Structures are given as C-alpha cells and as structure tokens.
Amino acid sequence: MWYFYSPNIIYGEDALNFLENIPGDKCFIVTDKVMEELGYLKILTDKLEKYGKQYNVYNEILPNPRETHVAEAREMCNSYTPDLILALGGGSVMDAAKMVWCFYEFPELSLDDIHPFRPDLHNMGKKAKLVAIPTTSGTGAETTYAAIISKFENDIWKKFLYAHKGIVPTYAIVDPIFPVGMPSNLTADTGFDALAHAIEGMGSEWRNEFSDALGVKAIELVFKYLPIAIKEGKNMEARDYMHQAATMAGLAFGNGNVHIGHGMGHSLGAIFHIPHGRAVGVVLSYVTQFCLNNPDEKDKSIEIYAKLAKQLGWANWDEDNKKAAFTVIEKIKELQKEVGIPNKIQDLGISREDFDKNLDMLITLCYEDATIGMVPRSVNPEIFKNLFTYAYDGKNIDF
Amino acid sequence: MTKIKILSEEWVEAFGKAINANPNYKPSALTWEGDMLLLIEPSGKLDHEVRIFIGLYHGECTGTRLLKEGEEVDTPYILSGPYDNFVRVMNKEFDPIQGVMSGKLKLSGDMAKLMRHVQAAKEIVNSLLTFETEFL
C-alpha cells in the first residue's frame, strides 16, 4: 500500500474565478508584503468582494517562514474564525498557511506535534478549507503535505520539515496571472526548483509510478517553457505551462519525495541565504551524477534516467543506458547556462574562505534534513564534504 | 561468509556489532537518544513473538539483547510488526519509515524526533545487510 495525495487543482487563465464556487464566506488570507506591493493581494480581494466574501489579512510572512510568524498568524486566524484560509504567495506563505490551518483545526497542537504518523490530522477541514494560490512557478507547495518552518536552535535559524497527509491544501488555484509578473531571475530560480523536484523525485527511494508519470511531464514542460518564460516574461502560454509544470513537479515530489539535493540546498539557504530554487538548482547536476555513479548493481538510477532521456528525445531508444542517463546531466547544465542558473557554488558569490569556514555546518545541517534519507546511495560526512566541494569548484563527480 | 540464523542470540549480537561498524550510521545519529524495542509478531514461518532490545545513544549501539519471555524493559521507542514485514524491510522492499507510514509496521515514541533521523533508521537496516542472515 502507498498513497497519492493531491488537492483539487484548478489551473489555467481565469482559474481564480473558481473562488466563487468554493463554499465559505469568511476568508483568512495568509500572504506577505510583496504580494501587497505587487498588487496581487488586490487582485484576490477584488475577486472576494465581487463574490460577496469577507476577508481578513495576515501579511507578515517572510521568506523562510519562522515559527514566530506562524504563531502570530495562528492567533489572528483563531480569533477571526474563518471558513476559508487562502494562501497567496510562494512556498513560504503556503507552508506557513498549512501550519496556521492545522493549528486552527487543532488548537491544542504545537509544531513538534505535527508528524506523518498521527491519525487525527487526517480529519482536517472541519472548520475551514485551505485554498493555496501560488504566485511563483516552482515550489509546488500548493500540492504537498509538508511545510518547512524555521526554528531558532543553537544560535541559528534551522529549517525543519513538518509533514502530514492531512495538510495537503483542499484546493490549489494555479492561475498564470500571478507568475506572469515574475522577474527573470526569480523565474529561473523557481523554475529550477520545479526541475529539481522532478529530477530528484525520479531518483528518490520513495518514487512510484504516479510520481514518475508527473515528473517526466514536468521535466518536459520546464525544458520547453522555462527559456521562453525568461526571454518573453509576458508570454502567457509559457507562464501557464510553467505554472502547471511546477504543480506537477510538486505532486511528483510530494508523493515520491526528493533527496540530498534538497538537503544540500536547504543547508546552503540556511547559512548563505541563497534563494531556495537557486541553491537546489546549483547542486542538481552533482547529486544526479552521484546517483548515476552508484556502484551497487541493483540500483536503478541509470535505468531511470536513461528512460527519461529516451522519453524526452535526448537519447535514441537503442542508446546504451549509461550513456543515455548521462545526457540528463548535460541537459541540466545546458539549461542552467541558458537561463542563468550558476553551475557551481562559488558563482553564488560565496568566497572560498566563507565556504571553508562553514563547510562543517553545511554538512551538519544536511543530517537534520529528513529528505537525505531518500537518496538511493548511503551517505556520510566525507561524501557530503566532497559533494559540496566538487559543487563549489565545478568538478564532475567521480565517486 | 557463514550465515547467521535470524533472531538467534548470535544474530542479535551481530546486529549490534554491525551498527557500530557501519561508518554511515554514527554521523546520522549523533543527536539520537533513545533505546528501541523491536517487537516481532508471529507471521509466516515465525510462530511466536520475539522481542529485541537495541540500546542507541549518540550514534553508538550500546548493546543488543534478545529478551526472555516475561522480561520487561522500558524503552522510549517500540517498533512492532509481523515477522514477514520485517523481512521485507531487510530485503529493502520498503524502508522502516515507509513501513510505518503504510501501516505495515507500528512505531511508538517521539515521532518528531524520529523525523529528524530518517537517515539513521535507514542505516540501521543497512547495517543488517553487512552480514549474511539465514531466514526462517
């Protein structure tokens, strides 16, 4: 037995109009200041007013949401008693909103009470439904049952994963009206987040037929439409397909998980404050190569990525599997170059001195990340040290 | 390599030694504190319940022991399930966390702490694969 969890997904131009059909008149909006400044909050509230729905707004969520923000929003939500919670923003907002929803439904819980094994959280949605409205095309958080929240421990804000199938949003409204305004660097960062979800997801130990199917399609769409979305930001077709790709990749990794690329990316983000998509994008080719170099003959990474390369026309069907699989690495590098994602950590503006000084902490943080357990090869600190160092220098993984 | 009969005293001892000999276990469990009881329920070729104590502290296995009938231990974590499902974990059909999430195994204890040590759980299973087991 395994699971495939998904929200009800409404996508494409004018998807936001579906709000009219969702029962509930009292809405609590979780968002951030940027959404307000960009006018996105107004787009949403105009719709709500048109449909006769009341609303209250919490707009203090910051990137890498902290437990303190969740606590503030929780208090406000619980006193407002909404019947709809709307998350408008990127992954940080949607993750925070999942926790706010959870604490609204179960006020007696705290963050550390949320884990995948408790049965009561399957009973979410008694007081309110959660509607996730992503404004970037990458995070996939509108589809997943996990939230990353930072807690202050040992003098550093550490990112922790809180997960339960019950916190999958009730609805995901995937309307390209929002990402169409993204600047090109954010488009590239978030696009590579989606790509990392799909590519790592296909190699994860928890991969399954459902996640694979969505992962392949997401990869195809990212390779086709990310360069267009960057060159022609207002191209609605490219924006729409990239938005769909991110949601598909979210479903892929939400149900099959990601692995050490995300562990390493979270570490880079926590220490050097690198945007998440760029951090996982930089290390993607290295962790994929690490998987392809697995000496275990039973490992399926070569077979999986060879099939991907053949399905996408990057290799002929009669091509040797190993050779075909390695075209995936080359394709990642080509796309990085085309859309401006660095291929080595040093190009993120991190000096050698800073990198060396923080290398041990980067590794320590990887071990606190639940995703690393999904990689098909055993890892240890020496391997992480080499992965980070090779990725810093831009060397091919030869171990 | 000689195969060791599963769930024998010798196998339980080898299990503990294998955890400590696994270079990938220690770094994944440096902050882990909590002994574990494996409660293996009769199924397939196992016709009686077997209980195994595993002492785990800061990346070390402090000892393993096959519990005698009626012997009580108080451990913060208990992993239980049918024998056949434990064998499937050893055959890497699914990992222990997947086993718990899919209801094939049951786990009691501090789940939030466990979620920070997924890799450690995986390496405990990998340790079991470093010596040959004769199954029932």
Side-chain angles (χ1 to χ4, degrees), chain B residues 46-59:
Chain B
L46 182 72
D47 60 6
H48 61 287
E49 183 180 276
V50 174
R51 295 175 307 142
I52 298 169
F53 169 85
I54 309 171
L56 298 167
Y57 186 80
H58 288 195

Side-chain angles (χ1 to χ4, degrees), chain A residues 1 3 206 373 375 378 380, chain B residues 24 95 98 101-102 122-123:
Chain A
M1 179 183 80
Y3 313 87
W206 286 16
V375 69
S378 273
N380 58 41
Chain B
N24 301 332
D95 66 44
Q98 278 179 299
M101 287 182 74
S102 60
K122 186 176 155 185
E123 289 303 338

Side-chain angles (χ1 to χ4, degrees), chain A residues 107-121:
Chain A
E108 70 282 9
L109 299 185
S110 62
L111 272 179
D112 284 340
D113 293 323
I114 297 165
H115 57 72
F117 311 115
R118 54 183 311 148
D120 52 352
L121 291 185

Side-chain angles (χ1 to χ4, degrees), chain B residues 16-31:
Chain B
K17 284 181 181 168
I19 294 172
N20 284 334
N22 179 351
N24 301 332
Y25 173 69
K26 187 169 186 169
S28 64
L30 283 175
T31 54

